[in-house]
Amino acid sequence: MTPAGVFAAAPDAALAALFVPFETGELALPADGRALFLRARAGVRLREMARPGWLCEQSFLPFADELARNGLRVGEPEPGERFSLVMLLPPRQRDEARALFVRALNLLAPGGTLLASMANTEGAKSGEADLARLTGGAQHLSKHKCRVFWSTPGVTSIDQALLAEWLVLDAPREIADGHVSRPGLFAWDRVDRASALLAGHLPPDLHGRVADLGAGYGYLAGQVIARCPRVAAIDLYEAEARALEPARINLARAQRACGREVAVALHWHDVTRGLPQRYDAIVSNPPFHQGRADLPELGRAFITSAADALVPDGRLLLVANRHLPYEAVLGQRFREVRTLVTQEGFKVIEATGVRA
């Protein structure tokens, strides 16, 4: 299965709604052709509307790759660069969204317009209210069960105190049990129960080079360091770039806590594309949804990539919701598959003996 196939989704209503103000004439495209699209998503209307000077930024690698395949310019603004139009698709998590509004304002040229779109069920009214508080006012329209809202703030209309307060909301912060995370990541403000269950069943004789697939803020990899003293190196693979800084902090803490050094490497990587090297063991709490939609083929793609990357006698240890049908693909790729524990709706599975 190709990565594009794994992450394919229905047309994004918020993306379609984003461009409605240009269709109605309430907004005009910038005369200088300079626009920035934060949390950009590929789609037909974006391909139709985009101009050569537009820049798309996306921290989730599969979506960034999809934008590039659509012929769009993908990257980050240069230091000091400003844009006449900054568009964004704010996330549902409110702290994360507030920090994103501040970043968008800091990238907006004087006299420029900040334009956002959110589904009504994803906190659109709250998003508009937050932007209006920050900029002194906002306009909106509704389409496709979404709210599109925008502001063209003057320098004096921006609430500078609120700007400073919200700027730091996306910074890595302390959460449970001495870990660091940031808003919007998977299970960002807690230790995920499924990951904790897998951590409690890590074999202490794991050794050599290990990979953590879909590593998030690094909880599971840190547990490998703490519980498996024969592990010499661990590679973290994570598609969300925003997770890498907290993971780096957490892995450094894990090494200090156990008093030994482990070679750590963090990779912004789409696991469904395969892995670049071989491993003695792989651990994973694989994702099985995109947004609110179940997508069990994601987990199956993780299993396939893991099997391809393990040495012949390597081990895969994964945790999943009990109802997810992973046993068939595990049986196809491994000679031995056993369930170590079933608890609280989750199952921990060990698979060994990679089939050629």
Side-chain angles (χ1 to χ4, degrees):
M1 182 181 296
T2 65
V6 172
F7 287 99
D12 192 332
L15 177 62
L18 183 70
F19 297 105
V20 171
F22 302 110
E23 298 165 2
T24 62
E26 294 179 73
L27 289 176
L29 293 175
D32 62 6
R34 290 182 50 73
L36 171 66
F37 191 177
L38 301 176
R39 304 293 173 93
R41 289 292 309 274
V44 173
R45 288 300 289 137
L46 178 57
R47 290 198 303 271
E48 292 173 347
M49 297 290 291
R51 302 296 186 265
W54 288 24
L55 176 64
C56 296
E57 182 183 279
Q58 173 56 256
S59 60
F60 186 58
L61 186 56
F63 294 165
D65 287 344
E66 186 183 12
L67 288 160
R69 286 194 299 271
N70 277 255
L72 298 157
R73 188 164 68 99
V74 184
E76 297 183 359
E78 296 292 335
E81 194 172 11
R82 298 293 180 266
F83 298 83
S84 301
L85 172 66
V86 177
M87 301 171 288
L88 61 153
L89 299 176
R92 180 181 179 87
Q93 210 289 328
R94 200 166 189 182
D95 281 358
E96 182 187 3
R98 284 173 164 175
L100 189 62
F101 285 138
V102 170
R103 182 161 185 268
L105 275 178
N106 287 336
L107 290 164
L108 194 65
T113 297
L114 191 160
L115 171 67
S117 177
M118 300 178 73
N120 293 334
T121 57
E122 296 293 314
K125 284 187 177 180
S126 296
E128 181 188 357
D130 283 345
L131 181 64
R133 283 182 63 197
L134 191 60
T135 63
Q139 298 173 264
H140 81 269
L141 57 80
S142 296
K143 189 74 172 181
H144 306 308
K145 299 182 179 179
C146 297
R147 181 174 292 247
V148 188
F149 48 97
W150 64 93
S151 179
T152 306
V155 175
T156 59
S157 67
I158 296 174
D159 187 326
Q160 296 296 329
L162 203 59
L163 192 82
E165 178 185 334
W166 289 0
L167 177 65
V168 299
L169 291 178
D170 189 44
R173 65 177 75 171
E174 298 285 340
I175 58 162
D177 299 328
H179 296 98
V180 170
S181 184
R182 71 197 312 174
L185 302 180
F186 170 71
W188 78 271
D189 58 351
R190 62 192 183 278
V191 173
D192 174 64
R193 289 187 300 131
S195 294
L197 184 63
L198 175 53
H201 289 81
L202 289 170
D205 63 343
L206 283 186
H207 63 275
R209 179 173 289 274
V210 177
D212 179 2
L213 309 188
Y217 65 75
Y219 166 78
L220 193 54
Q223 292 297 302
V224 170
I225 291 174
R227 296 169 184 261
C228 307
R230 294 175 59 195
V231 169
I234 187 160
D235 288 3
L236 283 70
Y237 291 92
E238 173 54 49
E240 176 52 66
R242 297 177 60 253
L244 298 181
E245 184 179 357
R248 185 174 292 107
I249 295 169
N250 289 324
L251 270 292
R253 289 184 175 186
Q255 292 181 84
R256 288 197 297 270
C258 69
R260 68 187 184 95
E261 290 190 9
V262 176
V264 172
L266 293 89
H267 306 274
W268 186 40
H269 186 77
D270 177 0
V271 168
T272 68
R273 288 187 162 194
L275 304 179
Q277 55 188 319
R278 308 282 274 181
Y279 293 96
D280 298 294
I282 290 175
V283 299
S284 185
N285 179 1
F288 66 93
H289 55 79
Q290 180 180 325
R292 295 187 176 187
D294 278 0
L295 206 63
E297 54 264 41
L298 260 178
R300 290 192 286 266
F302 269 52
I303 292 168
T304 296
S305 292
D308 290 342
L310 281 167
V311 299
D313 61 346
R315 282 192 278 186
L316 170 63
L317 291 133
L318 65 85
V319 64
N321 284 46
R322 187 168 56 186
H323 73 276
L324 291 171
Y326 292 157
E327 283 75 9
V329 66
L330 285 164
Q332 292 168 3
R333 297 306 310 271
F334 295 90
R335 288 189 293 273
E336 293 185 32
V337 178
R338 65 190 185 107
T339 300
L340 301 182
V341 64
T342 301
Q343 184 177 311
E344 298 181 1
F346 304 109
K347 55 189 175 185
V348 175
I349 299 173
E350 180 182 53
T352 58
V354 179
R355 295 185 187 274

